[in-house]
């Protein structure tokens, strides 16, 4: 260790004497380490998030297991049934994301996000209020009153951090709620946006609780000390088996589905982010290969120096340590510059990030990320410095002392060839992945979503809570009439769930006659509560029968429109118009099918079509009314620009009820774009990383070829003096470069085929073995590498044999 400062000083002087080499190596490492640091900071924020409560790794999100083994939300009855089993689920908390109307005298109404929870929710998390107290079990009973807990952010912004807020009333949805507590700073729900929480006050016998097939509650438990996830699953499977014996027809027999908190919240984006992290790992390896090649080239030029040091008594370990010190210094400089680059890259990534990636907007380069960057800098410094160091200690002293600096005629070198092949293979694999993703994106853009998104504007409103079952339909009828009267509006409709709106309720249905056998893993029928003019406004083709109209009211016989896929499933080869179906929910009634509509891809063009049943919102059963009619959306088809409509919409809504806020105003085009934004985000980063890898590979090959040509000056001079033409020298160099490119591309194709199972999950409409991409990418790769060899090869053809031989 006492010689380390001496090694560092010597290494700095040595690198300072070779500025072009040093700058090239540091810039290469800056790119490799910079993209890795930026990507790791995203991974840490999204997949490795730390939560502001104790032992978050002991928290499990609980959902009801379905027949296909996947999880689904709990119905009220099933949630209460499972809690009554005791054991791990005795203290299970429940949570539902919600939206609330907040109004104050003299201020416009405001729509804010929040949650509706059970009294167990906060204790399970281990949170304590900053002011006041948490909900009590007595307050979580129906009829006990209305209570609210505020977030720190909302308490500070809306109530000016009033220290006497506890016990005061707050008007929510037109009803006074008593504030019982304020949560500490840092907790705003699992999505980071919730501003307040009210109580569920669950009941089995009324409202949503009376419908065993409406799943809407998520649960959360904390594992006791000494119990792991495997033991918890085993215990709950035992309980499920007992429940199945007691009631074979109950859903409880399938058990519950347990996930860690991070897995539950980020599972949808985890594969894509890990794939991107693997891609930047490839970029870093390519950068390492480039720098290793540069060091090998530099080492060949320092053969005499290494031989001299050995002759003067330097041991092999001393030489290796000195060369590794230089490579670590290079990596350290590249790491420092890479961290600076990561700040810029992270800013660009955050500007492009899709809404589906949770907590990415909170990504920062903190101490853990910096420690990662330092560790990776040291690791890559050793990685790319090891081969040149080993090569240096193999030099024979007599041979090295006889060589003149710059006179090496050793040719390209096996190690350098291997490194060029390796970085070509890695680049080829990334380019194949990008090519497949581009082809998949092109396929998606040609998929018909089932409706026409252009010139379609949507927004949401929430009806006043004091309206009863007869007042709600009349409220929305007046609202739509005022919207339709806006100049430029061609049509307007109301619905609970528009395509791409982020919600997608489902319920089983019953049909008269023979029911099709259930298929494991099959999606149950989607439930849509819509108004008249829905199909015309969204321009969903009506294939048979009629759409809803003003005749379909709460007092008229029940009707339904079914999607093409639902009709094909339940009435294959028959005309479904005139058939009867019944939503299998509490209070559901038999409905006559009056029409068949074309299938709609509700979640996006890359999501499978699902059988769907549409019902007039005015005929929604009483058990579903609080979840359906209390929070509806309105869609407007108009050629007027969005900015020109928003003011008119506000005025039209205020004319019906000035205390109803308008929120979530979006065009359907933007919603369709957002539905594919995660895929576009992944593709943008993948394309950028692939382009960077291709550039690094091309620059690396150019640098190594240029060095090889400079070292073979004497060889080329002799060849040309003996009669070789310039084109022969050109062909020799290009043939060697093309051979390396072909070998690397072939290995890259094999590697891509080995990883095709990973790529298949991100593709739509084509196979991971797509012959067009697997054929085109290697050709592009070989062409780029040959072009990188062209300039050094042309330089070699201009060598004057006489001058070359005289120089030697």
């Amino acid at each position: 260790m006492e010689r380390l400062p001496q090694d560092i000083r010597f290494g700095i002087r040595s690198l300072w004497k070779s500025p072009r080499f040093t700058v090239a190596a540091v810039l290469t490492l800056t790119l490799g380490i910079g993209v890795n640091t930026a990507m790791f900071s995203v991974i840490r924020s999204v997949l490795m998030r730390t939560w502001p409560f104790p032992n978050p790794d002991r928290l499990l999100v609980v959902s009801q297991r379905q027949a296909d083994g996947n999880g689904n939300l709990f119905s009220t009855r099933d949630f209460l049934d499972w809690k009554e089993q005791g054991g791990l689920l005795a203290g299970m908390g429940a949570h539902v994301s919600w939206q609330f109307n907040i109004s104050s005298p003299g201020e416009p109404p405001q729509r804010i996000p929040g949650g509706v929870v059970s009294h167990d929710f906060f204790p399970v998390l281990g949170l304590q209020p900053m002011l006041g107290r948490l909900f009590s079990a007595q307050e979580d009973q129906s009829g006990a009153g209305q209570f609210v807990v505020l977030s720190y952010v909302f308490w500070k912004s809306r109530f000016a951090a009033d220290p006497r807020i506890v016990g005061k009333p707050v008007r929510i949805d037109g009803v006074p709620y008593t504030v019982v507590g304020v949560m500490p700073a840092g907790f705003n729900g699992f999505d980071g946006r919730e501003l307040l929480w009210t109580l569920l006050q669950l009941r089995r016998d009324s409202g949503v609780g009376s419908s065993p097939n409406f799943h809407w509650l998520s649960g959360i438990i904390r594992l006791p000390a000494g119990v792991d996830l495997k033991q918890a699953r085993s215990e709950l499977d035992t309980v499920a088996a007992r429940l199945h014996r007691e009631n074979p027809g109950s859903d409880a027999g399938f058990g519950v589905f347990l996930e860690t908190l991070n897995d539950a919240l980020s599972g949808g984006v985890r594969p894509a982010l890990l794939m991107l992290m693997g891609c930047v790992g490839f970029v870093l390896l390519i950068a390492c290969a480039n720098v290793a090649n540069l060091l090998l080239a530099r080492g060949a030029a320092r053969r005499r120096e290494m031989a001299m040091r050995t002759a003067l008594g330097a041991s092999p370990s001393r030489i290796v340590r000195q060369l590794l010190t230089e490579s670590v210094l290079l990596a350290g400089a590249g790491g420092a510059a890479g961290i600076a680059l990561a700040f810029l890259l992270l800013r660009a990534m955050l500007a492009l990030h899709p809404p589906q990636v949770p907590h990415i907007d909170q990504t920062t380069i903190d101490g853990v990320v910096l420690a990662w960057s330092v560790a990776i800098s040291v690791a890559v410094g050793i990685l790319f410095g090891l081969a040149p160091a080993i090569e240096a200690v193999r030099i024979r002293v007599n041979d090295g002392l006889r060589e003149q600096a710059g006179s090496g005629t050793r040719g390209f070198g096996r190690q350098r060839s291997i490194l060029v092949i390796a970085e070509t293979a890695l680049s080829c694999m990334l380019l194949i992945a990008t090519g497949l993703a581009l082809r998949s994106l092109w396929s998606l853009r040609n998929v018909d979503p089932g409706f026409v998104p252009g010139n379609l504007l949507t927004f949401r409103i929430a009806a006043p809570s004091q309206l009863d079952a007869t007042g709600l339909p009349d409220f929305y009828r007046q609202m739509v009439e005022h919207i339709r009267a806006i100049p430029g509006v061609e049509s307007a409709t109301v619905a609970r769930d528009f395509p791409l709106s982020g919600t997608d309720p489902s319920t089983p249905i019953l049909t008269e006659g023979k029911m099709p056998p259930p298929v494991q893993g099959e999606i149950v029928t989607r439930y849509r509560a819509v108004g008249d003019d829905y199909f015309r406004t969204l321009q969903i083709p009506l294939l048979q029968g009629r759409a809803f109209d003003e005749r379909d009211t709460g007092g008229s016989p029940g009707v339904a429109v079914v999607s093409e896929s639902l009709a094909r499933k339940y009435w294959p080869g028959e005309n479904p118009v005139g058939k009867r179906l019944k939503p299998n929910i509490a209070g559901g009634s038999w409905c006559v099918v009056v029409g068949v509509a074309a299938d709609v891809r509700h979640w996006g063009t890359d999501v499978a079509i699902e059988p769907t049943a549409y019902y007039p919102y005015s005929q929604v059963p009483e058990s579903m009314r609080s979840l359906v009619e209390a929070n509806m959306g309105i869609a407007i088809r108009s050629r007027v620009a969005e900015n020109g409509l928003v003011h008119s919409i506000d005025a039209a809504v205020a004319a019906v009820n000035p205390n109803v806020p308008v929120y979530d105003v979006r065009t359907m085009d933007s919603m369709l774009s957002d539905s594919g934004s995660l895929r576009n985000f992944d593709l943008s980063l993948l394309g950028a990383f692939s382009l960077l890898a291709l550039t690094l590979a091309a620059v690396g090959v150019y640098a190594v070829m240029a060095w090889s040509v400079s070292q073979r000056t004497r060889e080329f001079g002799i060849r040309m003096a003996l009669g070789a033409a310039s084109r022969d020298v050109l062909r020799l160099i290009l043939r060697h470069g093309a051979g390396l490119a072909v070998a690397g591309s072939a290995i890259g194709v094999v590697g891509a085929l080995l990883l095709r199972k990973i790529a298949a999950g991100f593709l739509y409409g084509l196979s991971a073995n797509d012959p067009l991409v697997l054929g085109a990418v290697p050709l592009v790769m070989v062409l780029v590498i040959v072009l990188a060899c062209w300039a050094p090869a042309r330089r070699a053809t201009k060598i004057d044999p006489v001058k070359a031989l005289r120089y030697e």
Side-chain angles (χ1 to χ4, degrees):
M1 289 299 294
E2 64 275 6
R3 294 185 177 180
L4 182 59
Q6 179 183 355
D7 290 340
I8 293 175
R9 288 194 298 271
F10 183 84
I12 292 174
R13 285 199 304 269
S14 178
L15 295 175
W16 188 262
K17 291 178 180 178
S18 305
R20 287 189 296 179
F21 160 80
T22 303
V23 170
V26 169
L27 285 178
T28 301
L29 292 173
T30 296
L31 294 173
I33 296 175
V35 295
N36 271 269
T37 301
M39 198 66 226
F40 178 74
S41 64
V42 173
I43 295 287
R44 171 169 161 73
S45 176
V46 176
L47 304 184
M48 304 164 60
R49 179 173 174 78
T50 55
W51 297 93
F53 30 78
N55 301 317
D57 57 310
R58 307 292 294 172
L59 289 172
L60 299 180
V61 174
V62 189
S63 54
Q64 191 163 8
R65 187 182 295 275
Q66 301 299 292
D68 61 357
N70 293 323
N72 191 13
L73 299 177
F74 284 101
S75 67
T76 300
R77 290 187 183 183
D78 287 334
F79 179 83
L80 295 175
D81 285 345
W82 273 100
K83 278 181 68 73
E84 290 174 356
Q85 301 307 309
L88 290 174
L89 299 183
M92 177 169 57
H95 172 271
V96 181
S97 296
W98 209 258
Q99 299 249 340
F100 302 93
N101 287 348
I102 298 292
S103 58
S104 300
E107 295 184 8
Q110 181 184 4
R111 190 72 172 172
I112 65 167
V116 188
V117 301
S118 67
H119 71 279
D120 314 87
F121 179 70
F122 291 119
V124 167
L125 297 182
L127 289 172
Q128 293 297 324
M130 186 191 71
L131 290 177
R133 60 176 176 82
L134 300 176
F135 298 123
S136 67
Q138 293 73 26
E139 292 167 342
D140 200 12
Q141 303 295 320
S142 179
Q146 305 295 342
F147 306 92
V148 63
V149 170
L150 307 177
S151 70
Y152 175 85
V153 172
F154 192 59
W155 168 68
K156 189 174 180 180
S157 62
R158 183 82 182 190
F159 302 100
D162 181 4
R164 295 181 295 276
I165 190 67
V166 174
K168 290 185 177 181
V170 175
R171 204 159 189 83
I172 301 174
D173 293 333
V175 177
Y177 281 66
T178 301
V179 177
V180 299
V182 177
M183 297 308 292
F187 180 74
N188 294 98
F190 296 136
D191 62 359
R193 299 182 181 91
E194 294 181 357
L195 299 180
L196 60 84
W197 299 270
T198 62
L199 281 164
L200 281 164
Q201 298 179 338
L202 298 175
R203 293 182 60 180
R204 296 177 185 271
D205 55 355
S206 66
V208 180
S210 63
S211 181
N213 292 315
F214 193 83
H215 299 262
W216 68 304
L217 298 171
S218 62
I220 187 164
I221 64 172
R222 180 176 288 275
L223 284 178
V227 178
D228 59 20
L229 183 58
K230 183 177 180 181
Q231 292 171 315
R233 285 173 174 159
S234 177
E235 177 182 333
L236 296 180
D237 286 344
T238 302
V239 175
R242 185 181 73 243
L243 291 173
H244 183 64
R245 289 193 300 269
E246 296 173 356
N247 184 4
S250 170
D251 287 343
F254 296 123
V256 292
F257 192 82
L258 301 178
E259 291 181 287
T260 63
L261 186 59
N262 277 339
D263 284 346
L265 298 179
S266 61
V269 299
R270 179 184 299 272
L273 291 181
L274 292 180
M275 180 197 70
L276 291 173
M277 192 68 199
C279 291
V280 298
F282 279 15
V283 172
L284 183 60
L285 288 176
I286 293 170
C288 289
N290 270 358
V291 177
N293 255 331
L294 290 173
L295 284 173
L296 284 170
R298 186 168 181 261
R302 297 174 69 186
R303 287 171 57 82
R304 182 178 175 83
E305 174 194 342
M306 294 298 109
M308 183 70 73
R309 289 167 64 88
T310 301
L312 293 175
S315 65
S317 61
R318 181 78 173 85
I319 292 176
V320 168
R321 188 172 69 245
Q322 176 61 54
L323 294 179
L324 285 180
T325 300
E326 293 181 15
S327 64
V328 171
L329 286 173
L330 281 175
I339 292 171
L341 176 63
F343 279 98
L344 300 177
L345 293 176
L346 189 58
R347 181 175 297 181
M349 291 168 68
L350 295 181
L352 295 172
H353 85 274
Q356 297 98 319
V357 183
H359 304 290
I360 190 174
D361 53 340
Q362 302 172 23
T363 302
T364 58
I365 297 180
D366 57 12
V368 174
V369 176
L370 291 177
W372 158 269
S373 299
V374 171
I376 204 172
S377 298
V378 174
V380 300
I382 296 173
L383 177 64
F384 67 68
L386 202 55
I390 294 174
E391 181 78 5
V393 298
R394 290 178 177 175
I395 296 174
R396 295 180 180 180
V397 175
N398 291 336
D399 293 341
L401 291 175
R402 281 196 298 267
E403 289 186 10
Q404 298 296 320
S407 66
T409 59
R410 295 164 55 88
F412 195 79
R414 183 169 61 88
Q415 288 181 325
R416 286 184 286 279
S417 296
I418 292 173
L419 288 172
V420 169
I421 291 172
E423 60 183 313
T424 303
L426 293 173
S427 300
C428 187
M429 291 171 66
L430 284 181
L431 285 173
I432 287 173
T434 302
L436 290 172
L438 282 170
R439 288 257 292 153
S440 177
L441 187 62
W442 178 259
S443 298
L444 279 174
R445 289 182 174 173
N446 292 322
V447 172
D448 181 10
F451 62 97
V452 179
N455 302 318
L456 200 59
L457 180 70
T458 69
F459 63 92
R460 302 197 77 83
I461 56 176
S465 57
Q466 63 268 26
L467 293 178
D468 57 18
T470 58
L472 278 169
D474 188 58
F475 168 80
Y476 287 114
R477 180 185 58 77
Q478 293 181 52
M479 195 68 70
V480 171
E481 287 178 355
H482 279 74
I483 295 296
R484 288 172 179 167
I486 296 175
V489 171
E490 298 175 3
S491 63
T493 189
V494 63
R496 175 60 177 84
D497 304 289
F498 289 111
L500 313 173
S501 61
T503 53
D504 198 17
S506 62
T507 182
I509 64 170
L510 303 174
T511 60
E512 289 183 325
K514 184 180 178 181
M515 292 284 291
V519 178
Q520 185 176 13
E522 188 175 47
I523 298 170
V524 295
T525 305
R526 296 302 178 187
Y527 185 98
R528 301 278 181 267
V530 304
D532 63 296
D533 238 12
Y534 177 84
F535 299 100
R536 186 168 77 94
T537 300
L538 270 68
Q539 294 187 8
I540 299 173
L542 203 64
L543 306 179
Q544 289 178 267
R546 68 172 179 88
F548 303 133
D549 56 33
E550 64 278 358
R551 296 172 294 174
D552 303 314
T553 64
S556 62
V559 294
V561 172
V562 298
S563 68
E564 184 180 7
S565 57
L566 188 148
R568 189 167 50 248
K569 174 183 175 182
Y570 287 92
W571 301 285
E574 301 180 49
N575 182 2
V577 175
K579 307 289 187 181
R580 296 210 308 165
L581 63 82
K582 176 183 178 181
N584 193 15
I585 54 179
S589 60
W590 287 98
C591 303
V592 176
V593 176
V594 297
V596 179
D599 285 319
V600 172
R601 295 179 183 268
H602 185 81
W603 282 104
T605 53
D606 59 344
V607 180
I609 291 172
E610 303 164 350
T612 303
Y614 301 89
Y615 308 93
Y617 75 90
S618 57
Q619 296 181 355
V620 170
E622 184 62 32
S623 63
M624 301 279 288
R625 194 173 298 279
S626 62
L627 286 178
V628 174
E629 287 192 338
N631 185 17
M632 300 283 275
I634 293 179
I636 302 172
R637 183 163 294 281
S638 170
R639 297 192 179 276
V640 179
E642 178 184 356
N643 293 337
L645 277 176
V646 171
H647 179 73
S648 299
I649 291 171
D650 290 337
V653 171
V656 178
N657 190 320
N659 294 320
V660 173
V662 175
Y663 66 100
D664 202 16
V665 180
R666 292 189 293 173
T667 65
M668 192 63 77
D669 278 329
S670 68
M671 294 166 67
L672 186 61
S673 177
D674 286 345
S675 72
S677 59
L678 179 59
R679 189 181 293 270
N680 292 333
F681 177 72
D682 297 339
L683 179 59
S684 298
L685 293 184
L686 181 60
F689 298 152
S690 300
L691 183 61
L692 177 59
L694 181 63
T695 302
L696 287 176
V699 171
V701 170
Y702 169 81
V704 173
M705 280 294 180
W707 175 87
S708 176
V709 168
S710 68
Q711 296 296 298
R712 299 171 69 183
T713 300
R714 185 169 183 269
E715 174 193 343
F716 294 143
I718 292 174
R719 287 175 179 272
M720 296 176 72
L722 294 176
S726 298
R727 63 177 178 276
D728 297 325
V729 175
L730 181 68
R731 189 182 302 115
L732 174 69
I733 298 173
L734 292 182
R735 184 168 61 244
H736 182 64
L740 297 177
V742 169
S745 297
I747 294 173
V749 171
V750 173
L753 290 174
L754 293 176
L755 296 177
R756 63 184 180 273
K757 288 186 178 180
I758 298 176
F762 301 93
L763 304 178
Y764 178 87
L766 72 158
S767 166
N769 301 331
D770 185 67
L772 177 62
V773 174
L774 293 179
V777 168
L779 291 177
V780 171
M781 199 73 220
V782 171
L783 179 61
V784 169
I785 298 301
V786 169
L787 288 176
C789 298
W790 179 263
R794 287 285 296 170
R795 192 178 307 122
T797 63
K798 299 182 181 301
I799 292 175
D800 185 338
V802 175
K803 291 184 178 179
L805 294 175
R806 183 184 298 126
Y807 172 78
E808 292 292 333

